[in-house]
Amino acid sequence: MNIHNNTSAVIHNLLTMACVLLLTSCATVQQLDTLNKRMGAFEIAYGETLQIIDRWLTQGMIDDGNKATLQKHIKKIQSARQAFYVAKKVNDFNKAKDSLDIATKSLELMREFIKLKTEQTQGKLHTLNPVVNL
Amino acid sequence: MNNTLLALELLNAALAISTKVQDMLQKAASENRDVTDDELIDLKTFNDQLENKILND
């Protein structure tokens, strides 16, 4: 159990470091923060998260309840992304920025949900149930 | 796959995100330009497909 807790703590710290690295990369590499750069970073983060969810779904590792919750998060992000691209197309940059903020917040919430569910099942590795409750 | 591996997969994803964002920004910076709309649309198209796949699962 201690091993799992230690592993969880290490992973937690490394995840935090990765997030800090992600955020500082925008500040160190670029002189100017633009809407396209921010949206590009968002799309990359979103794509990586979607790939994990898709793989876990394919492997049958997500139960129906968690799947429905994840789909709800994805629908919120989908709406915000669509609003972003529409606003950008008509040069409504304030609306585009607001939509990106909503999409980013929703993605953060979804990743928190995934992390929480993963941590909650730490220490339950030896149960006979083959389905991991995300 | 156990839960420690699931958590490690999340960590790997976080690191992959960081690397990809760095690459995208560095490429734009080296060419002294912004991230282009075409680059954005490529990322969007890929994500749209995955998004629809998961929502229709």
Side-chain angles (χ1 to χ4, degrees), chain A residues 42-52 107, chain B residues 43 46-47 50:
Chain A
F42 169 83
E43 291 285 8
I44 288 170
Y46 186 43
E48 288 292 326
T49 309
L50 287 176
Q51 284 181 66
I52 290 177
L107 178 60
Chain B
L43 291 167
F46 176 79
N47 288 347
L50 260 180

Side-chain angles (χ1 to χ4, degrees), chain A:
Chain A
M1 193 64 175
N2 279 339
I3 292 171
H4 294 309
N5 287 339
N6 289 340
T7 307
S8 179
V10 169
I11 290 167
H12 217 103
N13 290 338
L14 287 172
L15 271 174
T16 305
M17 281 171 55
C19 289
V20 169
L21 187 65
L22 171 66
L23 292 173
T24 53
S25 68
C26 296
T28 55
V29 176
Q30 297 298 300
Q31 295 122 350
L32 290 173
D33 182 23
T34 67
L35 211 51
N36 274 17
K37 286 172 193 164
R38 288 184 60 206
M39 192 57 180
F42 169 83
E43 291 285 8
I44 288 170
Y46 186 43
E48 288 292 326
T49 309
L50 287 176
Q51 284 181 66
I52 290 177
I53 293 170
D54 181 49
R55 191 159 53 245
W56 289 356
L57 279 172
T58 304
Q59 293 170 351
M61 298 175 73
I62 300 176
D63 63 29
D64 287 344
N66 285 323
K67 183 174 146 187
T69 304
L70 288 171
Q71 285 176 329
K72 209 163 75 178
H73 281 296
I74 291 171
K75 278 180 187 166
K76 276 186 195 165
I77 297 171
Q78 184 184 43
S79 299
R81 283 173 73 233
Q82 283 171 354
F84 169 88
Y85 286 106
V86 169
K88 191 171 179 295
K89 202 170 184 176
V90 297
N91 294 329
D92 186 348
F93 295 113
N94 283 333
K95 170 78 178 163
K97 187 180 169 301
D98 288 346
S99 301
L100 176 55
D101 288 343
I102 292 169
T104 304
K105 189 70 197 164
S106 300
L107 178 60
E108 279 173 18
L109 288 173
M110 185 166 75
R111 287 184 66 86
E112 277 300 314
F113 174 76
I114 292 171
K115 207 168 79 178
L116 182 70
K117 289 295 174 184
T118 304
E119 285 170 359
Q120 278 176 356
T121 51
Q122 290 286 330
K124 295 181 183 173
L125 306 182
H126 303 296
T127 58
L128 294 175
N129 186 355
V131 176
V132 173
N133 294 321
L134 228 188

